[in-house]
Structures are given as C-alpha cells and as structure tokens.
Amino acid sequence: AIVNRLASATSAAQWHLYEKAASGLDEDRTEITKHRALDLLRKPNKFMTTQEMIETGQQHIDLTGEGDLVISMFGKLPYELWPIRPDKIDCVPDPYEFIKGYVYHGPDGEDIPLGVNEVIQLRMPNPLDPYTGLGPVQAVLTDIDSSMYSAQWNKMFFVNSAEPGGIIQVDHRMGDDEWREMRDRWAEQHKGVAQAHRVAIIE
C-alpha cells in the first residue's frame, strides 16, 4: 500500500522545462513549452503514458532501490524511453570510468549490450555495492517474508484443516476402497472454514 501511494503520487506530478536565468534565481527563469525533451516525456513510447512510465519506475525504486530507463536512440537523438525491471539489467564496472556500460537480459535469454548514454539509472545508495541500489523494502525483507509466510500458513490451516474433536478408530483393517471412501466423506463434511464444528456422523 505504501509503495502504491508513493508511486501514484510521484506519477501525478506536473513536469515543466525551464531555461536558467542569468541571475540564477528561480523566479527569473523562462518556461519552455515546446521542446523535444517535453515531447519525449509526454509520450515516452508507443505503449505507455508518462504517468505509467513514472509510476513503474518509482515502484521499482521503492521495491528494489533501482529504477532504470532504457533510451532508444535514432542516430544521436533519443526517441523512446522504456522502464526496465531492475533484475533484467546489469552495469559493467570499469576501474577508470566507473561504469563502462550495461547489459540487458532479454526475455529470450539474449544479452544486449548498452552504452552509458542509452541508460538512465536511478538508484538509492547501497552501502554494500556502489553499482546497485538498496531499497527500503529490502532492508526489512526478513520481517516482510515472515509476515507473508505466517499469513499463508494461517490461510492454509483454514483451507486444509479437517481437524476433528477426536480420533476415529475402526475394529478392522480397511481395504483401499473403503479407506478412500471414508477419507473423502470426512473431508467433504468437515474440511474448510464453512464446515467447522459440524457434528460427525459415521456409519
């Protein structure tokens, strides 16, 4: 719910482009209403709106600490922006340039090299790795997992439980067909929340 709220609020912001003033003061800036950068932001690609692209990127940042945008280039000009799942892209470290480039792992298993100018990487600081981000969710992942597993255990307890108030013991060894029939009848009468605390009738 928190991630959804943050991503929705971020994507609802209205973006503007300004030219800096010589004075350096914000109130002296001049707003630019027509520019290729604005056109690209208003229509990042053929299948996404600005709101969807920003909300997707912010969701990635909040969940994993990373939000990557791949820039499709036409010559030297960018003409599309695509938010990429953080687990689908890796940076290539370089001892001199810090980051040499990126590798995108496609859905068919192919690895596609990308230049530094083809990826916008937004990341939260990671004290363990300067090349990747660390999100707030990952910091409390153990607690989140524990809560999730507890909820699943509780759910499956009610879905699967056919727990009686006692034990049925018969005075002879049942055949396979007889055993399956008794097991199925018991489950039919007592399995699940809706059948809880029903009186058992045994032939």
Side-chain angles (χ1 to χ4, degrees):
I2 295 172
V3 169
N4 177 68
R5 185 73 177 269
L6 290 172
S8 297
T10 303
S11 66
Q14 298 297 315
W15 295 81
H16 301 269
L17 181 65
Y18 294 92
E19 183 177 0
K20 286 185 176 181
S23 65
L25 300 175
D26 288 348
E27 55 266 28
D28 294 336
R29 296 177 303 174
T30 302
E31 183 174 3
I32 299 173
T33 57
K34 291 185 179 180
H35 196 277
R36 282 190 61 89
L38 289 173
D39 294 338
L40 182 61
L41 185 62
R42 290 168 183 153
K43 189 60 180 175
N45 58 68
K46 294 186 292 184
F47 303 97
M48 281 185 171
T49 62
T50 305
Q51 181 269 337
E52 185 179 0
M53 180 190 72
I54 294 176
E55 185 170 0
T56 300
Q58 186 63 44
Q59 184 186 73
H60 290 166
I61 292 172
D62 290 330
L63 290 174
T64 70
E66 293 184 34
D68 300 289
L69 289 174
V70 169
I71 307 170
S72 296
M73 307 291 290
F74 183 76
K76 294 184 178 181
L77 295 176
Y79 73 97
E80 283 185 339
L81 296 173
W82 292 91
I84 300 298
R85 276 174 39 188
D87 62 322
K88 292 294 183 181
I89 192 164
D90 292 317
C91 69
V92 180
D94 186 87
Y96 302 104
E97 301 178 22
F98 187 60
I99 295 177
K100 188 74 173 178
Y102 298 87
V103 176
Y104 170 66
H105 308 291
D108 297 327
E110 73 276 22
D111 289 338
I112 302 172
L114 298 170
V116 176
N117 64 328
E118 295 178 279
V119 177
I120 300 174
Q121 187 186 45
L122 304 173
R123 61 180 184 268
M124 293 182 174
N126 185 345
L128 302 176
D129 187 352
Y131 296 101
T132 61
L134 182 68
V137 170
Q138 292 167 294
V140 293
L141 201 55
T142 300
D143 294 330
I144 292 174
D145 283 343
S146 297
S147 178
M148 179 186 67
Y149 292 139
S150 296
Q152 290 178 346
W153 188 91
N154 286 329
K155 175 186 174 183
M156 298 315 298
F157 172 82
F158 289 112
V159 170
N160 289 332
S161 178
E163 183 178 356
I167 298 175
I168 298 173
Q169 182 177 11
V170 297
D171 59 359
H172 64 281
R173 181 177 179 84
M174 292 182 175
D176 291 343
D177 292 339
E178 190 178 8
W179 162 254
R180 279 192 291 268
E181 181 183 0
M182 183 174 180
R183 179 198 61 193
D184 294 343
R185 284 192 180 184
W186 184 267
E188 181 182 350
Q189 293 179 29
H190 299 281
K191 185 176 180 179
V193 180
Q195 311 285 12
H197 304 296
R198 291 187 62 184
V199 176
I201 301 175
I202 301 297
E203 297 182 40

PDB file of all heavy atoms in Angstrom, residues 9-23:
ATOM      1  N   ALA A   9       1.611   9.055  -6.332  1.00  0.00           N
ATOM      2  CA  ALA A   9       1.834  10.478  -6.071  1.00  0.00           C
ATOM      3  C   ALA A   9       2.956  11.035  -6.948  1.00  0.00           C
ATOM      4  O   ALA A   9       2.854  12.148  -7.470  1.00  0.00           O
ATOM      5  CB  ALA A   9       2.167  10.687  -4.596  1.00  0.00           C
ATOM      6  N   THR A  10       4.014  10.259  -7.118  1.00  0.00           N
ATOM      7  CA  THR A  10       5.133  10.716  -7.952  1.00  0.00           C
ATOM      8  C   THR A  10       4.702  10.878  -9.399  1.00  0.00           C
ATOM      9  O   THR A  10       5.060  11.854 -10.071  1.00  0.00           O
ATOM     10  CB  THR A  10       6.300   9.718  -7.869  1.00  0.00           C
ATOM     11  OG1 THR A  10       6.690   9.559  -6.511  1.00  0.00           O
ATOM     12  CG2 THR A  10       7.499  10.213  -8.673  1.00  0.00           C
ATOM     13  N   SER A  11       3.923   9.941  -9.904  1.00  0.00           N
ATOM     14  CA  SER A  11       3.496   9.994 -11.303  1.00  0.00           C
ATOM     15  C   SER A  11       2.462  11.080 -11.561  1.00  0.00           C
ATOM     16  O   SER A  11       2.227  11.457 -12.705  1.00  0.00           O
ATOM     17  CB  SER A  11       2.935   8.638 -11.731  1.00  0.00           C
ATOM     18  OG  SER A  11       1.737   8.344 -11.019  1.00  0.00           O
ATOM     19  N   ALA A  12       1.830  11.592 -10.494  1.00  0.00           N
ATOM     20  CA  ALA A  12       0.805  12.636 -10.659  1.00  0.00           C
ATOM     21  C   ALA A  12       1.409  14.031 -10.757  1.00  0.00           C
ATOM     22  O   ALA A  12       0.705  14.994 -11.076  1.00  0.00           O
ATOM     23  CB  ALA A  12      -0.186  12.580  -9.496  1.00  0.00           C
ATOM     24  N   ALA A  13       2.705  14.159 -10.496  1.00  0.00           N
ATOM     25  CA  ALA A  13       3.356  15.473 -10.543  1.00  0.00           C
ATOM     26  C   ALA A  13       3.357  16.021 -11.971  1.00  0.00           C
ATOM     27  O   ALA A  13       3.469  15.267 -12.942  1.00  0.00           O
ATOM     28  CB  ALA A  13       4.789  15.366 -10.018  1.00  0.00           C
ATOM     29  N   GLN A  14       3.220  17.341 -12.086  1.00  0.00           N
ATOM     30  CA  GLN A  14       3.268  18.005 -13.384  1.00  0.00           C
ATOM     31  C   GLN A  14       4.701  18.472 -13.649  1.00  0.00           C
ATOM     32  O   GLN A  14       5.283  19.203 -12.853  1.00  0.00           O
ATOM     33  CB  GLN A  14       2.312  19.203 -13.401  1.00  0.00           C
ATOM     34  CG  GLN A  14       0.852  18.832 -13.209  1.00  0.00           C
ATOM     35  CD  GLN A  14       0.330  17.961 -14.329  1.00  0.00           C
ATOM     36  OE1 GLN A  14       0.573  18.237 -15.519  1.00  0.00           O
ATOM     37  NE2 GLN A  14      -0.395  16.899 -13.968  1.00  0.00           N
ATOM     38  N   TRP A  15       5.261  18.047 -14.781  1.00  0.00           N
ATOM     39  CA  TRP A  15       6.649  18.344 -15.092  1.00  0.00           C
ATOM     40  C   TRP A  15       6.741  19.536 -16.041  1.00  0.00           C
ATOM     41  O   TRP A  15       5.943  19.668 -16.969  1.00  0.00           O
ATOM     42  CB  TRP A  15       7.321  17.125 -15.718  1.00  0.00           C
ATOM     43  CG  TRP A  15       7.414  15.975 -14.765  1.00  0.00           C
ATOM     44  CD1 TRP A  15       6.432  15.083 -14.467  1.00  0.00           C
ATOM     45  CD2 TRP A  15       8.528  15.614 -13.955  1.00  0.00           C
ATOM     46  NE1 TRP A  15       6.865  14.180 -13.528  1.00  0.00           N
ATOM     47  CE2 TRP A  15       8.146  14.488 -13.191  1.00  0.00           C
ATOM     48  CE3 TRP A  15       9.809  16.135 -13.797  1.00  0.00           C
ATOM     49  CZ2 TRP A  15       9.006  13.874 -12.290  1.00  0.00           C
ATOM     50  CZ3 TRP A  15      10.673  15.525 -12.905  1.00  0.00           C
ATOM     51  CH2 TRP A  15      10.274  14.403 -12.164  1.00  0.00           C
ATOM     52  N   HIS A  16       7.724  20.404 -15.801  1.00  0.00           N
ATOM     53  CA  HIS A  16       7.931  21.598 -16.620  1.00  0.00           C
ATOM     54  C   HIS A  16       9.402  21.704 -16.993  1.00  0.00           C
ATOM     55  O   HIS A  16      10.276  21.132 -16.334  1.00  0.00           O
ATOM     56  CB  HIS A  16       7.497  22.857 -15.862  1.00  0.00           C
ATOM     57  CG  HIS A  16       6.058  22.841 -15.452  1.00  0.00           C
ATOM     58  ND1 HIS A  16       5.043  23.352 -16.236  1.00  0.00           N
ATOM     59  CD2 HIS A  16       5.448  22.369 -14.329  1.00  0.00           C
ATOM     60  CE1 HIS A  16       3.880  23.201 -15.624  1.00  0.00           C
ATOM     61  NE2 HIS A  16       4.100  22.601 -14.463  1.00  0.00           N
ATOM     62  N   LEU A  17       9.656  22.467 -18.056  1.00  0.00           N
ATOM     63  CA  LEU A  17      11.027  22.696 -18.522  1.00  0.00           C
ATOM     64  C   LEU A  17      11.302  24.197 -18.482  1.00  0.00           C
ATOM     65  O   LEU A  17      10.477  24.992 -18.949  1.00  0.00           O
ATOM     66  CB  LEU A  17      11.186  22.159 -19.951  1.00  0.00           C
ATOM     67  CG  LEU A  17      12.573  22.288 -20.582  1.00  0.00           C
ATOM     68  CD1 LEU A  17      13.599  21.444 -19.834  1.00  0.00           C
ATOM     69  CD2 LEU A  17      12.517  21.865 -22.062  1.00  0.00           C
ATOM     70  N   TYR A  18      12.437  24.569 -17.895  1.00  0.00           N
ATOM     71  CA  TYR A  18      12.781  25.982 -17.755  1.00  0.00           C
ATOM     72  C   TYR A  18      14.191  26.238 -18.280  1.00  0.00           C
ATOM     73  O   TYR A  18      15.065  25.363 -18.232  1.00  0.00           O
ATOM     74  CB  TYR A  18      12.733  26.409 -16.283  1.00  0.00           C
ATOM     75  CG  TYR A  18      11.357  26.363 -15.666  1.00  0.00           C
ATOM     76  CD1 TYR A  18      10.918  25.215 -15.001  1.00  0.00           C
ATOM     77  CD2 TYR A  18      10.496  27.454 -15.739  1.00  0.00           C
ATOM     78  CE1 TYR A  18       9.659  25.156 -14.426  1.00  0.00           C
ATOM     79  CE2 TYR A  18       9.232  27.409 -15.160  1.00  0.00           C
ATOM     80  CZ  TYR A  18       8.819  26.266 -14.507  1.00  0.00           C
ATOM     81  OH  TYR A  18       7.569  26.209 -13.944  1.00  0.00           O
ATOM     82  N   GLU A  19      14.394  27.469 -18.738  1.00  0.00           N
ATOM     83  CA  GLU A  19      15.730  27.936 -19.091  1.00  0.00           C
ATOM     84  C   GLU A  19      16.248  28.785 -17.936  1.00  0.00           C
ATOM     85  O   GLU A  19      15.543  29.675 -17.443  1.00  0.00           O
ATOM     86  CB  GLU A  19      15.684  28.775 -20.371  1.00  0.00           C
ATOM     87  CG  GLU A  19      17.052  29.227 -20.831  1.00  0.00           C
ATOM     88  CD  GLU A  19      17.000  30.008 -22.137  1.00  0.00           C
ATOM     89  OE1 GLU A  19      15.883  30.189 -22.669  1.00  0.00           O
ATOM     90  OE2 GLU A  19      18.066  30.426 -22.620  1.00  0.00           O
ATOM     91  N   LYS A  20      17.447  28.486 -17.504  1.00  0.00           N
ATOM     92  CA  LYS A  20      18.009  29.213 -16.371  1.00  0.00           C
ATOM     93  C   LYS A  20      18.185  30.690 -16.699  1.00  0.00           C
ATOM     94  O   LYS A  20      18.497  31.069 -17.832  1.00  0.00           O
ATOM     95  CB  LYS A  20      19.365  28.623 -15.970  1.00  0.00           C
ATOM     96  CG  LYS A  20      19.281  27.294 -15.236  1.00  0.00           C
ATOM     97  CD  LYS A  20      20.659  26.857 -14.773  1.00  0.00           C
ATOM     98  CE  LYS A  20      20.590  25.585 -13.958  1.00  0.00           C
ATOM     99  NZ  LYS A  20      21.936  25.157 -13.468  1.00  0.00           N
ATOM    100  N   ALA A  21      18.011  31.509 -15.682  1.00  0.00           N
ATOM    101  CA  ALA A  21      18.220  32.950 -15.832  1.00  0.00           C
ATOM    102  C   ALA A  21      19.664  33.294 -15.495  1.00  0.00           C
ATOM    103  O   ALA A  21      20.344  32.569 -14.763  1.00  0.00           O
ATOM    104  CB  ALA A  21      17.267  33.715 -14.918  1.00  0.00           C
ATOM    105  N   ALA A  22      20.123  34.412 -16.034  1.00  0.00           N
ATOM    106  CA  ALA A  22      21.489  34.851 -15.748  1.00  0.00           C
ATOM    107  C   ALA A  22      21.685  35.142 -14.268  1.00  0.00           C
ATOM    108  O   ALA A  22      22.774  34.977 -13.727  1.00  0.00           O
ATOM    109  CB  ALA A  22      21.809  36.098 -16.585  1.00  0.00           C
ATOM    110  N   SER A  23      20.584  35.544 -13.624  1.00  0.00           N
ATOM    111  CA  SER A  23      20.669  35.848 -12.190  1.00  0.00           C
ATOM    112  C   SER A  23      20.786  34.600 -11.334  1.00  0.00           C
ATOM    113  O   SER A  23      21.205  34.664 -10.178  1.00  0.00           O
ATOM    114  CB  SER A  23      19.435  36.656 -11.759  1.00  0.00           C
ATOM    115  OG  SER A  23      18.252  35.860 -11.907  1.00  0.00           O
TER     116      SER A  23
END
